[in-house]
Amino acid sequence: MSDFTIAGRVARVFVARVSGTLVSARVARATVLFGGFEGDKHAGWTRRADARVPWYRRGTIIRNERQVSIVSSEELAQIALALGVAEVRAEWLGANLELSGVPGLTMLAPRTRLVFASGAVLTVEGENMPCRGPGRAIQQALGIRGIETRFPKAALHLRGIVATVELPGEIAEGDAVTLAT
């Protein structure tokens, strides 16, 4: 690891428990296991291949590099501005964590480590490319037509990141997070 670190804060914590919806639910804290956030529908060592990995036949069991979804408070505000809406909430994007004070979160380099106050460590796998699903959730929440199709462009390089768990622990709202490259 380099000596360069950035410190931020955990603004909000979420767990997605309900199948059939992208939306996650806010919790005060989450237990982080090697497979992801305890009780989250995206947790696990493996997942089924989908449109994000076209080099595999859909449904093929692959390693889950999308155990945790992380967004930035500042980038959510930029997306809202681009869409012309008052707000875009992290839970509408199915996020597990909303961080604040981390400049350029979405563009963090793969293998960057996010170290939390409890000692839990998440490793950045890459940018979470925007698609129409979160746009549909925002559109439904706000009751404004046209957001579903505009979201991917508005959220490009602002949608957040996906990560895997390197070291289990607990993550709570208000916790400090340090990024180490």
Side-chain angles (χ1 to χ4, degrees), residues 58-145:
R58 281 194 184 202
T60 301
I61 301 295
I62 60 173
R63 182 179 72 87
N64 186 7
E65 79 291 355
R66 303 177 62 79
Q67 293 174 339
V68 181
S69 173
I70 306 167
V71 297
S72 154
S73 300
E74 295 82 3
E75 291 176 345
L76 290 175
Q78 288 180 271
I79 295 169
L81 184 64
L83 290 172
V85 298
E87 68 178 336
V88 171
R89 295 184 186 172
E91 58 262 42
W92 297 340
L93 307 185
N96 295 113
L97 290 174
E98 179 182 335
L99 303 181
S100 64
V102 180
L105 176 85
T106 296
M107 301 313 292
L108 287 176
R111 308 305 308 154
T112 299
R113 287 176 173 81
L114 289 77
V115 182
F116 295 86
S118 71
V121 179
L122 303 179
T123 302
V124 174
E125 294 290 335
E127 181 177 358
N128 194 357
M129 296 305 291
C131 61
R132 290 174 59 165
R136 188 176 318 115
I138 297 166
Q139 181 171 297
Q140 288 172 346
L142 296 177
I144 300 171
R145 291 184 178 196

